[in-house]
């Protein structure tokens, strides 16, 4: 049921977002040299690594680490990077990962391949068995501001409470958070 829900939502979103995807791609290309998409190594279901696309918001050559680990994250942003991140437009290409089956619309956000502390806590709690999501319970309850243990606690809560109704609630909460740019640090 969840996979059918993901595919249906992806089709509806794809139709409505096609122009936005094209517009953002042009904006990224004009703003700085380099590829339009950045393919990030992420941790998927059962801790398998997959490639996840995002519109490039950082300069070419930026270290592949959690943004919070950079000494001055703003120095690495492209001229449109801050806008893309705060509006979450950089996340639109992840619809491709939903089509491929690497992501669901709702689930724990996929960890970077080198976020071992996050992966270890999720694995110990069984959260690694879930397919990661474009958005998730932790995303709507703190997003960039949450320490890793708090994020994992919310992932565990999602693991035990997941349902179609809960997913729809998280999607609506995500839309509200994106529109208000709540809890976005970069």
């Amino acid at each position: 049921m969840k996979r059918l829900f993901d595919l249906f939502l992806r089709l509806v979103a794809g139709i409505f977002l096609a122009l936005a995807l094209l517009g953002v791609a042009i904006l990224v290309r004009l703003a700085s040299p380099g590829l339009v998409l950045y393919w990030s190594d992420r941790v998927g279901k059962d801790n398998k690594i997959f490639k996840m696309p995002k519109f490039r918001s950082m300069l070419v050559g930026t270290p592949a680490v959690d943004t919070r680990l950079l000494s001055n994250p703003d120095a690495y942003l492209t001229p449109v990077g801050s806008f893309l991140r705060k509006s979450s437009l950089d996340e639109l290409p992840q619809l491709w990962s939903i089509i491929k089956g690497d992501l669901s619309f709702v689930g724990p956000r996929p960890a970077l391949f080198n976020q071992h502390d996050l992966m270890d806590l999720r694995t110990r709690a069984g959260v690694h068995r879930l397919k990661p999501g474009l958005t998730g319970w932790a995303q709507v309850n703190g997003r960039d501001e949450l320490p890793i243990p708090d994020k994992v606690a919310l992932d565990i809560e999602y693991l035990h409470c997941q349902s179609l109704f809960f997913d729809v609630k998280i999607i609506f909460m995500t839309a509200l958070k994106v529109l208000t740019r709540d809890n976005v640090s970069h």
Side-chain angles (χ1 to χ4, degrees):
M1 183 68 158
K2 186 170 178 81
R3 181 73 178 141
L4 288 175
F5 178 70
D6 286 342
L7 290 173
F8 172 75
L9 258 177
R10 193 299 189 194
L11 177 66
V12 172
I15 292 168
F16 286 107
L17 298 174
L19 286 176
L21 284 162
L22 180 61
V24 173
I26 291 168
L27 187 64
V28 169
R29 185 67 194 111
L30 294 175
S32 69
L35 299 174
V36 169
L37 294 179
Y38 172 73
W39 293 84
S40 176
D41 286 336
R42 297 296 180 124
V43 180
K45 185 175 191 243
D46 297 322
N47 291 329
K48 290 188 170 80
I49 303 293
F50 71 99
K51 295 273 191 198
M52 185 181 81
K54 293 178 85 170
F55 281 122
R56 189 174 50 80
S57 61
M58 305 294 264
L59 298 171
V60 173
T62 300
V65 296
D66 186 328
T67 306
R68 292 172 289 188
L69 298 178
L70 296 171
S71 59
N72 181 10
D74 292 336
Y76 292 97
L77 289 169
T78 65
V80 297
S82 181
F83 166 73
L84 292 177
R85 286 171 162 244
K86 287 181 180 177
S87 63
S88 296
L89 290 171
D90 63 324
E91 310 281 349
L92 288 177
Q94 291 171 36
L95 294 171
W96 172 250
S97 295
I98 293 171
I99 292 170
K100 274 188 66 190
D102 291 330
L103 280 183
S104 182
F105 265 94
V106 180
R109 282 296 291 157
L112 286 165
F113 70 96
N114 55 8
Q115 285 182 299
H116 300 291
D117 49 350
L118 177 58
M119 290 185 294
D120 290 344
L121 287 173
R122 284 179 170 174
T123 300
R124 278 190 254 151
V127 173
H128 71 290
R129 294 187 311 250
L130 295 173
K131 188 178 288 189
L134 181 63
T135 188
W137 190 229
Q139 284 290 101
V140 297
N141 284 289
R143 204 169 175 179
D144 293 341
E145 304 300 319
L146 287 175
I148 286 175
D150 295 349
K151 201 176 278 191
V152 173
L154 289 163
D155 292 340
I156 293 167
E157 188 177 337
Y158 177 76
L159 173 69
H160 296 296
C161 298
Q162 62 182 321
S163 68
L164 185 59
F165 175 76
F166 196 30
D167 283 3
V168 171
K169 175 182 176 178
I170 292 169
I171 288 169
F172 279 112
M173 289 176 72
T174 300
L176 182 62
K177 295 278 183 180
V178 168
L179 290 173
T180 61
R181 297 181 179 177
D182 192 22
N183 291 324
V184 180
S185 57
H186 300 287

